Amino acid sequence: MFEDDGYFPVIQAFGSIGGIGDRLMAGYCYNNGNVVHSCTGRESKNNWIEYMCKRNGIVCRNYAVGGSTFQMWRSMLFESMGVAKERSDSYVIALGVNDSEGNVGTIDDIDRDNPEKNADSYYGSCHWLLQKLNQTFGTDIRIFLLTDPGRTLQEQKAAADRNRALQEISVLFENVLTVDLAGDFAMKYYRNGLISRAFRNGHYSPVAEAYMSKLIEYELNRYMIDHYDMFQGVPYRSDVVYPDAG
């Protein structure tokens, strides 16, 4: 999958990437029967987004919290995890696994004039989070929304409505891309023996997280190349005057 098909790590244009996700991004795993909790995985940097950033010389700010949902990021985690304290050039949002029991809602749950009035649903909370990032850091940031590929056919069917919601919400923003991991990525992802063997009790080992980092990096780069016009200004900001050295 990494053959010479035009792939190049253009993701290296980002100086920094912020991660908002759940246990898979945090690095929650089982080590010989013992639990390595999300906070430990995040702080020890043993998770796919840290591996991806380290490989490419990118500063990683990983805010992921195990068990979190879009609604939780809206109600408390955006503030409590300190997302607003420091700007990153790009944000990767990988949520949805824990939203399966919640209300998906519809596009009508969104109040584009005042996101605080959005309904307490998957649609409403996802839109709120995207708008909050833009209000906090400006629209020069680039945001990637990752769909949930689902590990089994049943999980894929359950995730279909949520993944469709991400597609519908992202088109409301000029700086947001939905990266469809439920599409061609899923085939690469689940046909790999390492990934399937490393899955234990709903979590992955650091070795599997490292492999996932390569898979996801490939998809992010492909989307950046396919949507090149959207990334021409990265990492420069329109609200900064850059000095001329002469």
Side-chain angles (χ1 to χ4, degrees):
M1 61 171 284
F2 303 117
E3 64 274 12
D4 184 15
D5 58 357
Y7 170 84
F8 185 81
V10 293
I11 194 173
Q12 292 176 6
F14 293 124
S16 55
I17 293 178
I20 294 175
D22 49 39
R23 65 182 187 250
L24 297 180
M25 184 185 283
Y28 186 111
C29 71
Y30 285 82
N31 177 22
N32 296 320
N34 298 314
V35 175
V36 178
H37 291 285
S38 293
C39 58
T40 301
R42 185 179 64 245
E43 292 171 6
S44 63
K45 305 183 187 303
N46 292 313
N47 48 70
W48 69 259
I49 195 167
E50 290 279 3
Y51 295 148
M52 179 184 74
C53 289
K54 179 170 63 175
R55 185 166 54 246
N56 288 283
I58 301 169
V59 173
C60 182
R61 301 185 179 104
N62 188 358
Y63 306 103
V65 175
S68 62
T69 64
F70 272 109
Q71 286 90 339
M72 290 171 64
W73 282 94
R74 177 184 181 179
S75 63
M76 60 177 180
L77 290 178
F78 189 92
E79 181 176 354
S80 64
M81 292 303 294
V83 179
K85 291 181 179 178
E86 197 163 12
R87 177 190 183 277
S88 296
D89 295 329
S90 176
Y91 290 83
V92 178
I93 300 175
L95 291 165
V97 172
N98 302 302
D99 289 274
S100 58
E101 302 299 323
N103 172 32
V104 176
T106 70
I107 197 72
D108 294 330
D109 291 344
I110 293 171
D111 187 327
R112 297 184 66 178
D113 295 324
N114 185 1
E116 297 298 335
K117 294 182 179 180
N118 285 1
D120 184 23
S121 65
Y122 193 81
Y123 272 88
S125 297
C126 175
H127 177 268
W128 180 92
L129 179 57
L130 296 174
Q131 188 66 19
K132 186 70 172 179
L133 286 169
N134 280 338
Q135 288 176 346
T136 304
F137 301 115
T139 56
D140 288 332
I141 61 172
R142 294 294 176 262
I143 304 172
F144 297 97
L145 277 175
L146 308 188
T147 63
D148 178 5
R151 195 171 60 89
T152 64
L153 183 60
Q154 182 178 1
E155 289 180 0
Q156 291 168 11
K157 288 181 178 179
D161 288 342
R162 288 182 276 114
N163 289 340
R164 192 177 306 112
L166 298 183
Q167 298 280 5
E168 291 185 8
I169 296 166
S170 65
V171 299
L172 302 179
F173 300 86
E174 293 183 355
N175 64 330
V176 179
L177 269 178
T178 294
V179 178
D180 189 16
L181 300 190
D184 64 323
F185 170 90
M187 299 305 294
K188 302 168 187 172
Y189 182 65
Y190 294 117
R191 284 179 177 173
N192 180 267
L194 172 65
I195 296 293
S196 60
R197 292 196 304 273
F199 191 81
R200 294 290 184 274
N201 298 316
H203 306 93
Y204 295 97
S205 69
V207 172
E209 292 264 0
Y211 190 84
M212 284 201 302
S213 78
K214 193 67 175 178
L215 290 170
I216 295 174
E217 178 191 335
Y218 182 88
E219 292 300 304
L220 295 181
N221 278 294
R222 186 170 66 83
Y223 269 72
M224 289 180 70
I225 292 170
D226 289 348
H227 301 85
Y228 173 75
D229 287 348
M230 189 174 166
F231 297 92
Q232 291 194 67
V234 171
Y236 300 113
R237 296 167 54 178
S238 60
D239 62 338
V240 174
V241 177
Y242 296 94
D244 186 353

